[in-house]
Amino acid sequence: MQDHVDLVQEQWRRERPDLDPSPQGVIGRLHRLAAALTAELTAVYARFGLSEAEFDLLASLRRAGAPYERPAGELADHTMVTTGGLPKRVDRLVDRGLVLRTDADDDRPRRLVRLTPAGVDPIDRAFTAHLANEHRLGALLPAGDADALRDASRRWLAALAHD
């Protein structure tokens, strides 16, 4: 069974026989797979009125444990939201009453972002649906393939020095 990546590789082999396009077989497919998975994941977040970044931010606060807060300056480290995009995302969630900004109770001057009681239920429901969706997506692969992909991707990320 040929796919789009096979076609692209064939075209490059024809046009540039001096180059080896074989890495596209993995990297091109992973890139396309990431886009397809993102579409599958964001569709679930949208059912709860959340963008991908908003879901990620709320989930980060929820998994921090009670009182569901993190220092604003460290929040980007716990999410896939960039530091530049973080204030805007937090502002939107504050406006919706799902998070609030507070001052820390210790001697250090720092701001915290805290999940509000009104924010706990939506992220709990969204995360429950998210995990069900991830189980559905994972079940599209035979167990051995999923295990091999998990292990290989962990090694590859480590080699690239990403967490």
Side-chain angles (χ1 to χ4, degrees), residues 23-104:
Q24 292 179 321
V26 174
I27 294 172
R29 283 187 182 91
L30 285 176
H31 187 75
R32 292 175 66 85
L33 179 61
L37 289 173
T38 296
E40 294 284 336
L41 297 175
T42 56
V44 171
Y45 309 149
R47 291 189 350 228
F48 297 89
L50 299 171
S51 69
E52 184 176 28
E54 291 167 336
F55 173 87
D56 192 25
L57 199 149
L58 293 174
S60 173
L61 295 172
R62 179 63 174 91
R63 72 176 182 265
Y68 312 122
E69 66 186 16
R70 293 191 188 271
E74 297 174 20
L75 198 51
D77 296 337
H78 297 277
T79 66
M80 294 195 296
V81 180
T82 64
T83 54
L86 196 59
K88 183 169 68 172
R89 301 297 192 291
V90 172
D91 288 345
R92 276 192 255 171
L93 293 171
V94 167
D95 291 346
R96 292 170 59 188
L98 301 177
V99 303
L100 55 88
R101 289 185 181 91
T102 64
D103 290 320

Side-chain angles (χ1 to χ4, degrees), residues 1-161:
M1 170 176 86
Q2 258 197 341
D3 66 7
H4 178 78
V5 175
D6 290 321
L7 176 63
V8 168
Q9 287 178 288
E10 285 176 14
Q11 292 169 342
W12 279 119
R13 282 186 188 103
R14 182 190 68 233
E15 295 300 315
R16 292 292 309 270
D18 57 313
L19 298 177
D20 174 16
S22 63
Q24 292 179 321
V26 174
I27 294 172
R29 283 187 182 91
L30 285 176
H31 187 75
R32 292 175 66 85
L33 179 61
L37 289 173
T38 296
E40 294 284 336
L41 297 175
T42 56
V44 171
Y45 309 149
R47 291 189 350 228
F48 297 89
L50 299 171
S51 69
E52 184 176 28
E54 291 167 336
F55 173 87
D56 192 25
L57 199 149
L58 293 174
S60 173
L61 295 172
R62 179 63 174 91
R63 72 176 182 265
Y68 312 122
E69 66 186 16
R70 293 191 188 271
E74 297 174 20
L75 198 51
D77 296 337
H78 297 277
T79 66
M80 294 195 296
V81 180
T82 64
T83 54
L86 196 59
K88 183 169 68 172
R89 301 297 192 291
V90 172
D91 288 345
R92 276 192 255 171
L93 293 171
V94 167
D95 291 346
R96 292 170 59 188
L98 301 177
V99 303
L100 55 88
R101 289 185 181 91
T102 64
D103 290 320
D105 291 335
D106 54 26
D107 293 333
R108 297 184 304 173
R110 61 189 178 132
R111 300 282 282 168
L112 300 173
V113 177
R114 178 181 293 166
L115 192 60
T116 65
V120 174
D121 181 61
I123 191 56
D124 279 354
R125 289 185 298 109
F127 186 68
T128 298
H130 168 71
L131 276 185
N133 190 38
E134 284 192 336
H135 281 283
R136 177 187 68 81
L137 294 167
L140 297 173
L141 286 176
D145 287 357
D147 293 343
L149 185 56
R150 179 200 61 230
D151 295 343
S153 61
R154 180 183 292 126
R155 288 189 302 274
W156 202 353
L157 284 170
L160 292 170

